[in-house]
Amino acid sequence: MKSRVPMALCLGLLSVTAAKADGTTGTQAFSMSRVQQSVGRYGQSIGSDVRGMNPLGFSGGNVGYKNSGSGNVGAFNSGTGNVGAFNGNDNTSSTSGNQNVGAFNGNGNTGEYDGNGNIGAGNGNFNGGSYNGNGNVGAFNGNFNGRGNNR
């Protein structure tokens, strides 16, 4: 009988603690806009850190395989501050396809400031105009925007 009383008290305390923790999570703790705002800064700091370390000075501060541009980590990246594979390629502006983390982000953009600061896969590709396909988290976001506009 005596051992059951402390066990019941411990279970009661655990359930109260769990209920309290559940009440503080959700949109109050994190929001997608907050994550998206920090994406660009995160990628940019990675790019500057890699350039600052300059691990491969002869190749412009890139780490990995077949990277061009500067501060890229992974394989087949171009632009600046991309981490992963196949990021920042075939863009017509140097302000596009930068600071992406993941795979197949920020490619084939024809405008300015397109396809930047994405985390995941297949984000920010094939945009025209300006300021399209930026700050996406997940997969297949921000593609084929702003075709043929003057914004």
Side-chain angles (χ1 to χ4, degrees):
M1 248 350 233
K2 289 183 181 179
S3 65
R4 290 185 181 179
V5 172
M7 186 180 291
L9 286 173
C10 289
L11 286 174
L13 286 173
L14 283 174
S15 64
V16 169
T17 306
K20 188 173 183 181
D22 286 343
T24 59
T25 59
T27 56
Q28 184 180 357
F30 297 103
S31 67
M32 283 307 288
S33 61
R34 185 84 179 243
V35 172
Q36 289 172 347
Q37 287 171 1
S38 63
V39 168
R41 285 182 295 220
Y42 175 67
Q44 194 171 19
S45 66
I46 290 174
S48 63
D49 287 346
V50 172
R51 287 191 303 278
M53 290 186 298
N54 199 19
L56 300 172
F58 61 88
S59 64
N62 294 306
V63 179
Y65 181 73
K66 296 284 186 182
N67 293 316
S68 63
S70 62
N72 296 303
V73 179
F76 301 102
N77 296 310
S78 187
T80 303
N82 293 301
V83 178
F86 300 101
N87 297 308
N89 299 300
D90 298 320
N91 296 300
T92 59
S93 171
S94 60
T95 60
S96 295
N98 302 308
Q99 291 98 37
N100 296 296
V101 179
F104 300 103
N105 297 313
N107 300 302
N109 296 296
T110 59
E112 296 183 344
Y113 305 101
D114 293 331
N116 299 311
N118 297 295
I119 295 179
N123 297 312
N125 300 303
F126 306 108
N127 295 296
S130 297
Y131 301 98
N132 293 305
N134 300 313
N136 296 293
V137 178
F140 304 107
N141 298 306
N143 300 307
F144 299 102
N145 294 302
R147 308 304 290 164
N149 66 18
N150 294 318
R151 287 188 281 161

